[in-house]
Amino acid sequence: MHGRLSITQQQATLECFDPDKYTLRPQVTIQDIFQAVQSESVTQGVVPFENSTNGSVVYTLDLFADRDDEYPDLCVTGEAYLNVHHFLLGYDLGEVAPPFSPPPSDAVSSTPSVAPRSRCVRPVQHVQRVYSHPQAFGQCELFLSTYLKGVERHEVSSTSRAAELVSQDATKASAAISSEIAAKIRGLDVLAKGIEDRADNTTRFLVLKKRSGTTNDAIESVRTPRRKTLVSFTIDQSPPGALADALTVFSKHGLNLTSINSRPTRQKPWNYVFFVEFQEGSTYTPGTIPAALGDLRTVAKEWRWLGTWADTLKR
């Protein structure tokens, strides 16, 4: 899992693995997790994949793109959904915080038209810098634009690292978007609670494992309805309709596309690696996914199966 013990990855990992049966080994970066699973220094890894408010975790997609073929044996074997609530952590200097008053309707202002969900519980006028992970910044934009507009933002590797840096700041002029647990661990004050833009803010994590055996065997070992599959592929982007031809493969086999992403190939400008996640229907049908991948092979320049797993989304 990614980060120190106070961040959301630990909670997601505990959703997937019993700590009485597994030893948890936090890693510094998401790339470290990919490397650890590929090298078999750990048996499985948990990485953030997308957030319901801020979208895909681009760094994870870049690692799945695997442009240098560093992780040829990794595949996704499961998923976990975690409700994420952010806290503004820092130092209470005992100042009096004036209530937030939006400008009159006829004023020219870039103040958000939608009010943030929460207010500061302690003063923040002294805050000159805010540390956090890029995803956390994106999930708390309304709060930041309202209460900390113009304050410097510093991106770090994790929300727990942000809390650690603030705890070391002798000037006490910095704050972190992190967790309530991190506040207790680092001895910081909670300046605001629940600062995420949406109450249903949720991050999806994927479980990685080094595969053995054939792709078809791995696919058919998941014998559940509504199973999900992730694939990546590149196409010749010159012919009209090339991408449409690739996507048609999935509808032909009755597979529902649930997400589409792309990242640059870094081989030629404006050429992309496409990521498609698709899902079967309510009935498990052996052979459907291998058949679709066989057809994808005929229209894609390169492709890779990245995993098939059971759907755990509660609807």
Side-chain angles (χ1 to χ4, degrees), residues 128-252:
Q128 300 176 12
R129 298 170 298 279
V130 179
Y131 295 92
S132 200
H133 187 274
Q135 274 281 333
F137 281 130
Q139 295 164 31
C140 304
E141 190 59 47
L142 286 175
F143 179 89
L144 293 171
S145 298
T146 300
Y147 293 105
L148 294 169
K149 187 174 179 61
V151 173
E152 293 179 6
R153 301 183 189 181
H154 295 265
E155 296 182 355
V156 294
S157 60
S158 69
T159 57
S160 65
R161 173 60 176 162
E164 180 182 8
L165 289 171
V166 171
S167 71
Q168 297 169 353
D169 180 9
T171 70
K172 299 187 177 182
S174 59
I177 299 176
S178 193
S179 65
E180 190 172 26
I181 297 174
K184 297 176 181 178
I185 293 175
R186 297 298 175 184
L188 298 172
D189 297 314
V190 174
L191 306 181
K193 304 177 181 180
I195 66 173
E196 62 278 359
D197 290 349
R198 293 182 57 91
D200 58 359
N201 187 49
T202 304
T203 297
R204 178 162 67 129
F205 295 81
L206 298 182
V207 179
L208 303 180
K209 189 176 183 179
K210 188 171 183 178
R211 65 171 173 165
S212 59
T214 67
T215 296
N216 285 359
D217 287 344
I219 291 171
E220 299 306 340
S221 68
V222 184
R223 298 175 176 272
T224 62
R226 302 185 63 83
R227 57 184 176 168
K228 296 177 179 177
T229 296
L230 181 66
V231 297
S232 65
F233 61 87
T234 60
I235 57 173
D236 181 352
Q237 294 182 212
S238 300
L243 179 57
D245 290 342
L247 298 180
T248 300
V249 164
F250 304 105
S251 62
K252 171 185 172 182

Side-chain angles (χ1 to χ4, degrees), residues 227-229 231 250 255-258 276-279 289:
R227 57 184 176 168
K228 296 177 179 177
T229 296
V231 297
F250 304 105
L255 300 169
N256 180 38
L257 299 185
T258 54
V276 169
E277 182 182 272
F278 60 84
Q279 189 170 35
I289 296 174

Side-chain angles (χ1 to χ4, degrees), residues 79-152:
E79 64 180 9
Y81 293 85
L82 185 68
N83 292 330
V84 179
H85 302 292
H86 294 296
F87 292 69
L88 185 69
L89 310 182
Y91 298 93
D92 181 4
L93 301 185
E95 301 168 347
V96 178
F100 169 70
S101 299
S105 59
D106 59 347
V108 177
S109 173
S110 57
T111 299
S113 58
V114 179
R117 295 179 53 249
S118 63
R119 296 179 55 182
C120 298
V121 297
R122 289 187 171 92
V124 296
Q125 298 100 310
H126 63 286
V127 174
Q128 300 176 12
R129 298 170 298 279
V130 179
Y131 295 92
S132 200
H133 187 274
Q135 274 281 333
F137 281 130
Q139 295 164 31
C140 304
E141 190 59 47
L142 286 175
F143 179 89
L144 293 171
S145 298
T146 300
Y147 293 105
L148 294 169
K149 187 174 179 61
V151 173
E152 293 179 6

